[in-house]
Amino acid sequence: MLGSKLTHVAIATAAALVSTVVAQTTLDPIVIKGSKFFYKTNGTEFFIKGVAYQQDVGGNGTSGTNVNFVDPLTDTAGCSRDIPYLQKLQTNTVRVYAIDPTQDHTQCMQMLANAGIYVIADLSAPNASINRIDPAWTTDLYSRYTSVVDTLAPFTNTLGFFAGNEVSNNVSNVNAIPFVKAAVRDTKAYIAAKNYRTIGVGYAADDDATIRAPLEDYLNCGPAEDAIDFFGYNIYSWCGESSFQASGYADRTVEFSNYSVPAFFAEYGCNVPEPRLFDETLALYSPNMTGVWSGGIVYEYFQETNGFGLISLSGDTVSALPDFSALSSQIAKVTPTGVNMASYTPTNSVARACPATSAAWNAVASPLPVTPNEQLCSCMVQNLTCVAKSGISATAIGTLFAGICNPLLNGPNICAGISANSTTGAYGAYGMCSAVDQLSWAMNSYFFEQQAQNSANTDACDFGGNATTQTPSLPTSCSALASQAGQAGTGVVTSAPTGTGSSGGSGGGASTTTSSAAGAANVPRFDFGLLKLGVYVSVAALVGGGIVLM
């Protein structure tokens, strides 16, 4: 086990230096030109030599359930302890899957900068991400994503952000990808609006052969302001004693040879058989691949139940595992040769064509989901007569939506203003609002429909005691937004959101989400066939058919 502690005295000495010299280093920002990364100042090509650095947040294609995650970039003692081990692996990049934007990251980010290490951060969190089962891009998620940007953008060693990680992983859920692309678009626009330095926003995809090609095309196609800035590939196809050809690396390299933005391995390191050999590391940084790929990130630093760890942690004691020794040996052999930014002229500057919709790819390329706008949502709710009561539970929200927005019961247009259908491209102006705000819109639509049929129906805004009436008002500041959205909520709102993300976000530590929290509710989407629709008809009947829940 590498002497169990890996030249313990040397590591301990390095850790002491890391913890005491948290001072002045400012890393040269990494910039993108064509399909490559470069150091901004000297123009040397940058190859990622990375390690995934976070415990129990659902990397490697798993679904994280740890709401109370630990943000490693707020753990100063942990950073001091681990950075010398990362340096032993020649690490120049770490990937973190969820940070707490309410906490201070200065100490760890500076320690990493002192060690020459950049950070790629996922914008989501276990309890705040685009859900492949019921995808949405909402004001709550926008607040979370932009809060992460606000937290990390000031550091020059922030290399980039991932707007999603394996959100779509097979043909059945590719309809989630338009919401990811909308998140990319809006995060990039936010970075520009805040006058931060240019920081790339990308996506980390899994290696599913059934959607691989159209996914690569979809995220790269269309206007540059909507497309990803880099493509991360979670790939585990090189297992044991494989080869460039047998692993599929050769095929993937051909596929990305004309990609117009940087591509790299966002996770790699198959752990069957164990211990890992990391022969693929030699291939990744060889001339066979460095013309196309910008390096990769090994999964993962900490040993967990999935058995991918490079080290084990007992209390505050680090023990290097056999995989650590193997990676250390292999990474020491690589010397990737790149090009200089000044002399580099991209030859693959043309974006991919958007994939056509088909049975295997049902996500339309345009339009994308609307940009979340908290001001628009607030204006909308103020101008309603029938609204949801405060404190309504997620369970009640889901049940009420199931009845109100059921097209067989109440017609196809009653919830058009909150639609978000990525298979048809039908997006209501308010489809990005919070679940409670969307429910208020739906309740109000139903209320006025019932009033039109029977003006004496005073119970149409009761919904089992979950709704109440108010006097609508439309402040002058809301007039333009309301006009763009239109009375039915199906207009196109061109006004950009003006708020920042720094007040929002889902933190780690004490942050919790329960099934009774309205913020945890998902809005059911009625873009399905009659079989599934029958389930919702049954639900609606159970709660009061025709949905007057009195």
Side-chain angles (χ1 to χ4, degrees):
M1 221 181 248
L2 206 62
S4 177
K5 299 285 191 306
L6 182 76
T7 45
H8 182 69
V9 174
I11 291 292
T13 302
L17 288 172
V18 166
S19 63
T20 56
V21 189
V22 182
Q24 306 302 322
T25 302
T26 299
L27 282 188
D28 193 18
I30 302 302
V31 298
I32 295 171
K33 181 180 180 181
S35 60
K36 299 181 183 297
F37 292 114
F38 296 94
Y39 290 99
K40 181 179 181 180
T41 301
N42 65 20
T44 301
E45 186 173 354
F46 179 82
F47 292 95
I48 293 171
K49 296 179 181 178
V51 174
Y53 182 64
Q54 191 161 8
Q55 293 176 283
D56 195 22
V57 286
N60 188 32
T62 59
S63 297
T65 57
N66 184 13
V67 173
N68 297 311
F69 62 88
V70 175
D71 179 348
L73 302 186
T74 63
D75 181 5
T76 304
C79 290
S80 177
R81 176 196 66 216
D82 295 329
I83 286 174
Y85 288 87
L86 293 169
Q87 289 177 302
K88 187 71 175 179
L89 298 172
Q90 299 188 19
T91 303
N92 64 14
T93 306
V94 293
R95 177 183 178 183
V96 292
Y97 293 86
I99 73 156
D100 181 352
T102 68
Q103 302 300 312
D104 181 47
H105 296 75
T106 304
Q107 294 291 306
C108 277
M109 289 298 289
Q110 187 60 67
M111 290 181 191
L112 290 167
N114 291 346
I117 297 175
Y118 294 84
V119 173
I120 299 178
D122 288 56
L123 295 167
S124 60
N127 62 333
S129 63
I130 297 171
N131 185 333
R132 68 169 68 107
I133 303 301
D134 191 13
W137 174 231
T138 64
T139 53
D140 293 336
L141 287 178
Y142 180 83
S143 178
R144 158 72 198 182
Y145 281 36
T146 53
S147 294
V148 175
V149 171
D150 287 338
T151 299
L152 295 181
F155 302 105
T156 61
N157 58 328
T158 298
L159 193 158
F161 302 106
F162 281 128
N165 180 66
E166 300 189 10
V167 177
S168 293
N169 59 2
N170 60 55
V171 171
S172 72
N173 51 46
V174 296
N175 64 309
I177 286 297
F179 297 92
V180 173
K181 193 168 182 180
V184 170
R185 174 200 64 200
D186 295 337
T187 303
K188 290 171 62 171
Y190 181 81
I191 290 170
K194 292 282 286 186
N195 291 317
Y196 293 134
R197 65 181 174 86
T198 301
I199 305 173
V201 183
Y203 176 74
D206 82 330
D207 186 27
D208 184 272
T210 62
I211 64 170
R212 189 166 53 214
L215 176 67
E216 295 162 9
D217 294 347
Y218 188 91
L219 292 171
N220 183 240
C221 75
E225 58 267 25
D226 296 351
I228 56 171
D229 294 317
F230 52 76
F231 189 97
Y233 198 4
N234 298 346
I235 180 169
Y236 293 87
S237 61
W238 187 310
C239 297
E241 295 181 350
S242 190
S243 68
F244 181 61
Q245 297 292 339
S247 65
Y249 277 27
D251 294 332
R252 303 293 81 76
T253 300
V254 170
E255 287 175 9
F256 279 90
S257 61
N258 66 346
Y259 215 58
S260 65
V261 298
F264 59 92
F265 289 2
E267 291 176 4
Y268 79 94
C270 173
N271 66 347
V272 179
E274 293 182 307
R276 290 183 280 185
L277 304 175
F278 286 110
D279 288 344
E280 69 268 44
T281 299
L282 301 179
L284 180 58
Y285 298 98
S286 74
N288 281 336
M289 299 186 70
T290 52
V292 173
W293 301 97
S294 296
I297 299 170
V298 171
Y299 189 81
E300 63 176 327
Y301 183 74
F302 296 100
Q303 178 73 312
E304 301 184 87
T305 56
N306 58 19
F308 281 86
L310 299 172
I311 64 97
S312 64
L313 190 63
S314 177
D316 201 41
T317 301
V318 175
S319 296
L321 299 174
D323 284 0
F324 186 103
S325 178
L327 179 59
S328 178
S329 175
Q330 299 287 46
I331 202 74
K333 301 173 186 176
V334 305
T335 54
T337 301
V339 298
N340 186 270
M341 181 165 59
S343 59
Y344 167 60
T345 301
T347 57
N348 46 341
S349 58
V350 179
R352 298 279 181 90
C354 293
T357 55
S358 64
W361 187 265
N362 65 353
V364 298
S366 181
L368 293 173
V370 298
T371 299
N373 189 326
E374 184 62 50
Q375 182 186 7
L376 173 61
C377 297
S378 176
C379 290
M380 177 267 286
V381 173
Q382 291 180 71
N383 201 33
L384 301 178
T385 299
C386 180
V387 296
K389 286 184 176 179
S390 61
I392 188 170
S393 72
T395 301
I397 289 174
T399 301
L400 288 162
F401 269 122
I404 299 173
C405 294
N406 191 316
L408 289 187
L409 293 176
N410 298 312
N413 299 319
I414 193 166
C415 289
I418 57 172
S419 65
N421 189 331
S422 60
T423 63
T424 65
Y427 298 106
Y430 307 116
M432 49 72 200
C433 296
S434 70
V436 175
D437 288 351
Q438 289 190 52
L439 180 60
S440 290
W441 170 267
M443 286 174 163
N444 192 71
S445 297
Y446 179 84
F447 170 73
F448 277 103
E449 183 180 84
Q450 294 300 304
Q451 287 279 291
Q453 296 176 18
N454 178 9
S455 60
N457 184 357
T458 59
D459 295 321
C461 186
D462 184 80
F463 297 96
N466 288 298
T468 187
T469 57
Q470 66 176 18
T471 301
S473 65
L474 187 67
T476 303
S477 59
C478 293
S479 298
L481 290 170
S483 177
Q484 291 173 14
Q487 185 173 355
T490 54
V492 177
V493 177
T494 57
S495 300
T498 57
T500 68
S502 37
S503 62
S506 298
S511 174
T512 59
T513 300
T514 66
S515 61
S516 62
N522 285 323
V523 181
R525 301 297 175 198
F526 292 86
D527 52 353
F528 40 58
L530 291 177
L531 179 62
K532 189 173 180 182
L533 186 57
V535 175
Y536 279 90
V537 172
S538 300
V539 170
L542 287 173
V543 297
I547 220 41
V548 182
L549 304 180
M550 298 179 286

